Amino acid sequence: MTDQFDVIEAGAKGRRRWVGILVLVGLLAIPVVSLVTSREPEPVEPPAPTPTTRDPIASLSRVTSAPNVLHAKARVKGGEEIIEVVFPHGLRAEVRYPAEMQLDALGSRPFVGMWIRGEEFPVYRALVAPYAGDVEVTRGAKKPLRSFTPDVTLWPRPPGGGLVGQVMLFAYGPWRMAMYDRPAGLRFEARMALATKLKGAVTKDGYLVLKASGPIRLAAPGDGRRRDPVGPQLLFGGGSGDMLTIVPTPGCALPEVPDAMGARGRPTESVCMGDFMVAASGAEWFVKAAVSKIRIKVK
């Protein structure tokens, strides 16, 4: 008579045999599945958009990243070049320089300081042209924190900005001008005044001329703040390369190098040329040529 435990043992062996077969079939099926799936076509990536050139826009509804500089067309005379410039307060002048300096290729940007009334005392801020245009302020963000007008918006404080606060971005034709605030920020009324009372017009040759009214006062030629020249001026070049600044300064006697120039950590010199201060930084030959060979004539 067969023991019941023998029947249970026999049944267990049968189940183990079927389990072993199923495992073997599973192992054989894995490479087959892999082979089939490997033959499936991979998804096709959409083609990258073709780069396009930037067209001037009337508002800040789109973000662009074209260089925010003007390359004036130079006239060649002997070994020199001549360009006509217009400063942010409307003064026209002719700049003559050694051709190897290539100021036309460096391009120019406007700068001017301003005082804003409405606080306990007038507050100073600078209006600058970011070299990289919109993207230098927006950092790729698509929407501003606030839109004061279609052409004036508010953007977050730049990462690692130190004492810099939020940034107001102004659009004047193809030009982008930025006002970097302090962390405490201006009052809403002061920002609205900037958005509505600070006007800009672009000349036929592409220069930006600025005017202000109400509580906004633009710095005049010769104005300074803590010995830093903050009146209307044109900056040529920038970044890590050669840089030149021309500052209308009536009765210029003891030129002070603008803070933006002195903070670059490169050789810097300045000189008075009549009613203009010229400051340069960069390669030694560029600086020497700037302070000794540039000539400026009011038109």
Side-chain angles (χ1 to χ4, degrees):
M1 182 175 181
T2 305
D3 191 270
Q4 59 179 337
F5 294 107
D6 291 336
V7 174
I8 295 174
E9 180 67 22
K13 287 182 179 179
R15 285 196 300 273
R16 287 174 184 171
R17 185 180 297 111
W18 280 107
V19 170
I21 293 173
L22 290 175
V23 170
L24 179 62
V25 171
L27 291 173
L28 291 174
I30 290 173
V32 175
V33 172
S34 301
L35 180 62
V36 172
T37 56
S38 66
R39 292 181 178 177
E40 292 181 0
E42 295 185 0
V44 179
E45 297 252 347
T50 304
T52 58
T53 57
R54 168 185 173 181
D55 295 322
I57 57 176
S59 70
L60 291 171
S61 59
R62 284 189 1 226
V63 173
T64 58
S65 58
N68 197 32
V69 299
L70 175 65
H71 297 280
K73 187 176 180 179
R75 305 195 317 269
V76 179
K77 189 173 182 179
E80 295 183 321
E81 290 184 348
I82 303 170
I83 56 174
E84 289 193 8
V85 300
V86 182
F87 292 90
H89 62 309
L91 177 69
R92 282 187 171 271
E94 185 178 270
V95 180
R96 183 188 296 259
Y97 58 93
E100 60 268 21
M101 293 187 69
Q102 297 185 338
L103 295 187
D104 55 340
L106 288 179
S108 65
R109 295 172 288 145
F111 169 95
V112 67
M114 57 187 174
W115 282 270
I116 307 156
R117 298 195 309 272
E119 308 286 333
E120 295 181 4
F121 49 87
V123 175
Y124 172 82
R125 294 291 185 269
L127 194 65
V128 303
Y131 184 84
D134 302 302
V135 72
E136 193 168 317
V137 172
T138 65
R139 308 286 174 168
K142 294 184 178 180
K143 290 185 178 180
L145 298 175
R146 181 188 295 274
S147 295
F148 298 100
T149 73
D151 297 329
V152 183
T153 50
L154 182 68
W155 297 84
R157 173 181 180 272
L163 296 178
V164 173
Q166 295 172 336
V167 189
M168 288 186 70
L169 186 62
F170 303 77
Y172 300 113
W175 284 104
R176 298 295 176 266
M177 301 296 290
M179 188 281 288
Y180 292 86
D181 209 346
R182 295 291 180 265
L186 293 174
R187 294 178 180 175
F188 176 78
E189 293 77 12
R191 287 178 171 169
M192 279 302 301
L194 282 168
T196 57
K197 302 299 183 181
L198 184 60
K199 304 294 185 181
V202 181
T203 66
K204 290 182 180 180
D205 39 4
Y207 289 95
L208 177 63
V209 176
L210 296 161
K211 293 184 178 180
S213 60
I216 313 300
R217 182 179 77 82
L218 294 175
D223 280 352
R225 180 175 178 269
R226 298 174 184 170
R227 299 177 64 83
D228 179 30
V230 298
Q233 50 197 272
L234 290 177
L235 289 73
F236 292 81
S240 60
D242 298 324
M243 186 173 178
L244 174 83
T245 303
I246 303 178
V247 188
T249 311
C252 180
L254 296 174
E256 293 288 338
V257 176
D259 287 348
M261 303 283 289
R264 303 179 77 229
R266 303 196 66 183
T268 304
E269 289 188 36
S270 61
V271 67
C272 282
M273 296 183 180
D275 289 334
F276 293 89
M277 187 268 283
V278 175
S281 70
E284 185 176 355
W285 72 266
F286 181 88
V287 173
K288 295 299 183 184
V291 299
S292 63
K293 296 183 179 179
I294 285 180
R295 297 293 179 266
I296 305 169
K297 179 182 177 181
V298 176
K299 297 289 288 183

